[in-house]
Amino acid sequence: MSPRVLRIAAPLAVGVLFLAVWQAFARVTGMPPYILPAPSDVAQSLWTDGPSLLGSLLVTLRITLAALAAAALIGGGIALLFSVSRTLELSLFPYAVVLQVTPIVAIAPLIIIWVRQPFLALLVCAWIVAFFPIVSNTTVGLNSADRNLLALFRLYGASPGQTLLYLRLPTALPYFLAGLRISGGLALIGAVVAEFVAGTGGTETGLAFRILEAGYRLAIPRLFAALFLLSLTGIVIYLALDLLSRRLLRNWHESAGAGDEE
Amino acid sequence: MVPRAGTSRLAAREVQPIKPVKVAEASASSGAVTSTEARPVVELRGVAKRFATGVEALGGVDLTVATGEFLSLLGPSGCGKSTLLRVVAGLTPPTAGTCTLRLSGVGGRAAPAGRIGFVFQDPTLMPWSTVAANVELPFRIAGRLRGAERDRAAAALRAVGLAGFERAYPHQLSGGMRMRVSIARSLVTEPDLLLLDEPFAALDEITRLALNDDLLRLWEAHRPTILFVTHSVFESVYLSSRIAIMAPRPGRVVADLPVPLPHPRERAVRTSPDYAALCDRVSAILAEAMGEAR
């Protein structure tokens, strides 16, 4: 079997095997569905509750994507400021770390109280979780320009703006994209955690709230269905960002397989 | 032609200070004299460099490079030859002494953009840009990249034998080809002064010899002023019109001698008795300088 086929077939086989064992276990032991639903129960729930769950997914997805966009924009901007002024970086970077290591669950209630608009409150929570990898990665990237190339730019009389545009930014791009891939998953986690904390605070209900609600009602198959949709979303976000990264870097960066054809 | 065995075992003592070789080019046969008479492009007076770590990289170097000269800075690692090159390029300020450059249009210490070409030991290309875009970089920075400049970049690539590779990316090229791109980029602005910092040190022997010949052809055709840093005796004798030998701790010039080998220099020169004698002489001076330093 070619490695390419194996890459898809092997995990798929493991997944199918896992589901089969799960199904058999649930049926043989006769576990009630409110403790351990069989995959078939989950599939049925996915079918019947699908449309309403998809509506909730859309709410969560909107928060996630908005937070990711804000993280990319503001995180990239902060990194740019850091690269311009070392003093600024030294004085502010520790606080970015503080924001990163403080559990979002602990500060989410505060944010929800302070920011009245529910969508915005959730957005801020998800953004706090997502922005750090982009800031730290991009800052490293902007400072990683080849020393000899920097010397060459000086020799040809390049302005700081030109050095940034033609040298520092392209150097930082792979770092930024690596940060973005991490942040994609984190934005989703941030959005879900914020929704958990916010509860029904808003008029719209996201997927996280549906999970909570299903748990209270012991509608465990629906809980699993919502969970399934959530993981699927995370995977799709990751794959999309990975594709974007490969597209942008395919001509030159090792991470995108440049040089493989040699 | 002289057999190989004869070239390697020529006794150093037998060689008298550079016998005038009958050559077509008068300037080559009397290199040292010519270089002091011609207008110097680079003039170093007591240039010293002490790093923050306390290392004395350069201890008072006096050196002039005349227009159209191919001067090699030869010495062991750590003798400050790369530092000297960076001082000339204006990338490292000297702690003492003066470095005066006379480049077209502008005099004084500040080098106008594009009048100096620099080639590093690594090709130092932008991996995200095509070969053409890398060579066009000096024009892009200068803010004038139009048809004429693109043509000049293409011509520079032709000159190093890379026509047809304009749209390739650096990772698609071999090490030698990347170095050719780097040389093309340094030549594209037709600089008055070309600084090369051990450009072939990281290449394999075969590629290195080929690039030696290419560089010689380029110099013979356009006669740019070249300051070439190397630690290879054979390379310095084969390429240069003059060699400045450096010794370490602190870095200084201990000998300065012309290379009166005829032009055009072909591979055959490498097996000639004159070449072997010069290499022996240069090696002896180098060994002596190293002995003193030890």
Side-chain angles (χ1 to χ4, degrees):
Chain A
M1 208 184 283
S2 81
R4 200 178 169 143
V5 174
L6 198 69
R7 188 175 297 184
I8 297 166
L12 209 63
V14 170
V16 168
L17 191 72
F18 178 73
L19 287 179
V21 171
W22 180 358
Q23 179 80 24
F25 181 78
R27 285 285 170 264
V28 169
T29 57
M31 281 266 196
Y34 56 83
I35 293 176
L36 181 73
S40 58
D41 299 332
V42 176
Q44 199 186 353
S45 169
L46 208 55
W47 179 253
T48 52
D49 302 328
S52 81
L53 283 178
L54 276 181
S56 301
L57 174 66
L58 223 57
V59 174
T60 306
L61 199 60
R62 266 176 55 205
I63 296 169
T64 304
L65 294 183
L68 184 61
L73 231 63
I74 302 174
I78 292 173
L80 214 56
L81 282 180
F82 282 0
S83 80
V84 171
S85 162
R86 180 94 179 116
T87 317
L88 210 61
E89 184 190 347
L90 288 175
S91 20
L92 291 185
F93 197 79
Y95 296 100
V97 177
V98 167
L99 214 52
Q100 162 71 10
V101 296
T102 310
I104 188 66
V105 195
I107 43 173
L110 278 176
I111 292 165
I112 287 159
I113 291 167
W114 289 338
V115 184
R116 295 295 181 78
Q117 217 272 321
F119 178 81
L120 210 58
L122 298 184
L123 178 67
V124 169
C125 291
W127 176 81
I128 288 177
V129 180
F131 89 106
F132 187 76
I134 294 182
V135 170
S136 79
N137 269 27
T138 312
T139 304
V140 171
L142 287 169
N143 291 329
S144 298
D146 184 89
R147 286 190 53 205
N148 286 342
L149 273 173
L150 280 171
L152 202 72
F153 271 69
R154 266 178 65 195
L155 209 58
Y156 287 119
S159 67
Q162 285 178 321
T163 309
L164 181 71
L165 193 62
Y166 300 140
L167 181 55
R168 288 191 199 275
L169 283 181
T171 306
L173 186 63
Y175 295 82
F176 169 78
L177 288 169
L180 194 67
R181 269 182 298 184
I182 301 169
S183 292
L186 286 181
L188 182 62
I189 292 172
V192 167
V193 169
E195 277 180 22
F196 260 100
V197 176
T200 45
T203 45
E204 295 174 306
T205 47
L207 215 47
F209 176 72
R210 300 297 298 273
I211 289 174
L212 269 183
E213 184 199 45
Y216 291 145
R217 294 184 178 180
L218 289 183
I220 305 303
R222 202 201 300 160
L223 188 151
F224 268 95
L227 261 183
F228 172 77
L229 284 179
L230 213 49
S231 337
L232 201 67
T233 308
I235 293 169
V236 168
I237 289 175
Y238 179 83
L239 287 178
L241 292 176
D242 193 53
L243 189 72
L244 175 78
S245 175
R246 279 171 193 280
R247 271 294 150 91
L248 289 177
L249 302 180
R250 65 178 161 185
N251 279 329
W252 60 280
H253 204 259
E254 280 83 359
S255 70
D260 277 0
E261 67 267 41
E262 278 185 38
Chain B
M1 285 292 101
V2 177
R4 250 170 217 291
T7 64
S8 58
R9 282 295 99 203
L10 197 68
R13 295 294 158 229
E14 286 173 20
V15 184
Q16 293 306 306
I18 314 303
K19 276 181 266 175
V21 182
K22 287 187 190 106
V23 287
E25 303 233 22
S27 65
S29 62
S30 55
V33 179
T34 319
S35 66
T36 47
E37 281 169 2
R39 203 177 68 120
V41 176
V42 182
E43 205 170 347
L44 300 174
R45 290 274 167 267
V47 168
K49 177 69 187 176
R50 182 189 286 274
F51 287 114
T53 51
V55 174
E56 206 173 341
L58 294 172
V61 173
D62 296 310
L63 194 70
T64 55
V65 189
T67 307
E69 209 173 16
F70 192 133
L71 174 67
S72 282
L73 290 174
L74 174 70
S77 315
C79 71
K81 49 196 194 303
S82 291
T83 307
L84 193 62
L85 210 61
R86 293 181 69 89
V87 167
V88 172
L91 296 171
T92 305
T95 36
T98 57
C99 169
T100 312
L101 302 179
R102 291 195 187 80
L103 305 170
S104 59
V106 188
R109 272 181 238 178
R115 297 330 305 146
I116 296 181
F118 205 111
V119 180
F120 299 89
Q121 185 171 340
D122 297 315
T124 314
L125 303 175
M126 298 179 292
W128 52 84
S129 293
T130 60
V131 163
N134 266 291
V135 175
E136 289 160 0
L137 177 72
F139 298 131
R140 189 177 292 277
I141 290 174
R144 47 179 171 84
L145 180 56
R146 288 178 295 269
E149 282 75 23
R150 290 185 199 280
D151 290 346
R152 282 171 71 181
L157 279 170
R158 264 200 307 281
V160 297
L162 279 180
F165 286 92
E166 287 83 0
R167 298 176 69 90
Y169 282 85
H171 73 89
Q172 296 167 319
L173 307 179
S174 69
M177 289 161 90
R178 274 178 232 172
M179 191 45 84
R180 286 170 200 270
V181 176
S182 193
I183 292 172
R185 179 181 59 195
S186 74
L187 291 170
V188 78
T189 55
E190 288 166 19
D192 300 319
L193 179 61
L194 197 53
L195 306 172
L196 299 107
D197 189 2
E198 298 188 32
F200 311 136
L203 300 175
D204 62 87
E205 183 83 9
I206 298 161
T207 311
R208 184 177 183 144
L209 293 182
L211 279 171
N212 276 180
D213 286 332
D214 289 351
L215 184 60
L216 259 183
R217 295 297 90 79
L218 285 169
W219 183 74
E220 284 163 354
H222 305 291
R223 288 296 171 114
T225 309
I226 294 183
L227 195 50
F228 183 87
V229 164
T230 181
H231 53 230
S232 163
V233 170
F234 304 102
E235 192 170 73
S236 66
V237 174
Y238 185 58
L239 293 175
S240 341
S241 54
R242 200 179 123 213
I243 302 176
I245 298 173
M246 293 184 69
R249 285 177 301 259
R252 63 202 187 279
V253 175
V254 291
D256 192 329
L257 68 164
V259 180
L261 293 171
H263 282 279
R265 283 181 203 166
E266 306 284 350
R267 291 266 171 119
V269 169
R270 290 189 188 271
T271 47
S272 73
D274 289 330
Y275 177 75
L278 269 166
C279 287
D280 265 353
R281 185 165 137 74
V282 170
S283 297
I285 298 172
L286 201 56
E288 199 179 323
M290 287 302 290
E292 274 173 28
R294 212 170 279 132

